[in-house]
Amino acid sequence: MSIALLFPGQGAAQPGMLRRLPDTPAAARTRDEAAAVMAVPDTAGALRSTTNAQLALLVAGVATARALVDDHRLPVEAVAGHSAGAFGAAVLAGVLDLGSAMRALRVRGDGMERACAGGTWGMAAVLGLGRAAVQRIVDDASAAAGPLWIANVNGADQIVVSGTRAALHALRERAAAAGARDVTALDVAVASHGPLQAGTARAVADDLARTPHGEQRRAYFAGTTGRRIAADTGAVLDDLAGSVMLPVRWLDVLRLMPETGTTATVQVPPGRVLTVLADRACPQATNLAVDDLGVAATVHRLRHGSPLAGGT
């Protein structure tokens, strides 16, 4: 079995996620390592900050991934992260240490908030239409109401867009007329994965250029290209820097995984949204979320084909 770990992005953040870390030595070491770099609050109020939400996701994801790999000896061959989740993936790939990833994410989050200061920006998920149809609607709404762009291609009929709130309102009306099942506003105060964040991408690239890097030891699926990176630290760093201003090609990542040998995916906490997307894009794989089973039961399921009763 060839296993890939999936690290979710900012939309998965949950209050208290750092108080629900696995009770294992590797998770405890990760918590202490993070605390030595900077405080990472995870209250509901704190998570309204883009920077805090992304940092908390990083610590939760890396702590759980290390519990799987270091404490339970789960043989993980590949990693992939959705948007900010890519930084956790880079840590497990060996390219960044946790402290470097935290500092780069702080640059990223702070830059995103500065670019969107004023509260006129947002994001929304369009359900029930393909990318081509959404692109036509985006072009029309943008011409009428302001900047708007496709931010994430999460599934064949799940497309996330970013832009001004006026343009998102225009998009909602046009999407309904085009037959969309729903247009759901995301609970974020920023607009990412587009040209508005070009300055943020440059700042992250500058930070990463000053950061020592390790040798890549696991395959890394790049969200900006949808490609698998096997042994190219520079390409991983380019993906990390560019991800804030380029669309997330998550559907391409998921479709490529079985083609390159992945037979199982495991989403680290919080949540299971990436597992749902994996089930739709690659149903031939075994797709699990740690939040559904717990660390020990997830490992048992992968090794033996059934969950461990009462496992956590």
Side-chain angles (χ1 to χ4, degrees), residues 51-72:
T51 302
N52 287 340
Q54 293 184 7
L55 286 169
L57 281 167
L58 173 66
V59 177
V62 171
T64 305
R66 287 175 173 173
L68 290 165
V69 173
D70 296 342
D71 295 317
H72 289 268

Side-chain angles (χ1 to χ4, degrees), residues 120-136:
T120 61
W121 302 90
M123 301 177 71
V126 181
L127 306 178
L129 297 176
R131 178 169 186 166
V134 173
Q135 185 64 64
R136 289 191 293 270

Side-chain angles (χ1 to χ4, degrees), residues 269-296:
R272 65 186 316 273
V273 63
L274 300 184
T275 297
V276 172
L277 294 173
D279 277 339
R280 294 172 181 169
C282 45
Q284 67 273 46
T286 298
N287 302 303
L288 306 176
V290 172
D291 267 357
D292 287 343
L293 298 172
V295 169

Side-chain angles (χ1 to χ4, degrees), residues 158-172:
Q158 183 175 328
I159 315 295
V160 176
V161 295
S162 294
T164 65
R165 298 200 178 275
L168 289 169
H169 179 73
L171 170 96
R172 179 181 297 275

Side-chain angles (χ1 to χ4, degrees), residues 2-4 76-80 216-232 235-236 239 249 252-262:
S2 178
I3 301 167
V76 171
E77 295 185 5
V79 294
Q216 185 182 350
R217 61 176 181 266
R218 290 186 176 93
Y220 171 101
F221 287 86
T224 60
T225 63
R227 296 179 179 176
R228 180 180 183 272
I229 301 171
D232 189 340
V236 173
D239 180 72
R249 297 173 58 175
D252 290 342
V253 166
L254 293 177
R255 285 176 168 170
L256 180 61
M257 283 184 172
E259 295 179 9
T260 55
T262 297

Side-chain angles (χ1 to χ4, degrees), residues 27-238:
R29 286 195 301 271
T30 301
R31 181 188 59 237
D32 294 345
E33 184 182 347
V37 178
M38 67 183 79
V40 181
D42 67 345
T43 64
L47 294 182
R48 285 195 286 270
S49 159
T50 294
T51 302
N52 287 340
Q54 293 184 7
L55 286 169
L57 281 167
L58 173 66
V59 177
V62 171
T64 305
R66 287 175 173 173
L68 290 165
V69 173
D70 296 342
D71 295 317
H72 289 268
R73 298 294 184 261
L74 188 69
V76 171
E77 295 185 5
V79 294
H82 190 290
S83 187
F87 287 79
V91 173
L92 265 290
V95 174
L96 294 178
D97 62 37
L98 180 60
S100 297
M102 292 176 71
R103 286 184 284 270
L105 260 187
R106 184 168 57 184
V107 171
R108 186 183 195 267
D110 290 351
M112 292 172 70
E113 290 179 336
R114 283 194 300 271
C116 296
T120 61
W121 302 90
M123 301 177 71
V126 181
L127 306 178
L129 297 176
R131 178 169 186 166
V134 173
Q135 185 64 64
R136 289 191 293 270
I137 296 168
V138 164
D139 292 343
D140 185 37
S142 180
L148 193 68
W149 57 87
I150 288 179
N152 308 339
V153 181
N154 288 334
D157 64 349
Q158 183 175 328
I159 315 295
V160 176
V161 295
S162 294
T164 65
R165 298 200 178 275
L168 289 169
H169 179 73
L171 170 96
R172 179 181 297 275
E173 296 177 340
R174 288 161 172 78
R181 290 197 311 274
D182 192 19
V183 178
T184 303
L186 304 188
D187 187 21
V188 296
V190 294
S192 58
H193 307 299
L196 180 68
Q197 299 294 347
T200 305
R202 288 193 294 271
V204 175
D206 289 344
D207 181 82
L208 292 173
R210 297 190 296 269
T211 299
H213 313 124
E215 182 177 348
Q216 185 182 350
R217 61 176 181 266
R218 290 186 176 93
Y220 171 101
F221 287 86
T224 60
T225 63
R227 296 179 179 176
R228 180 180 183 272
I229 301 171
D232 189 340
T233 296
V236 173
L237 297 175
D238 288 345

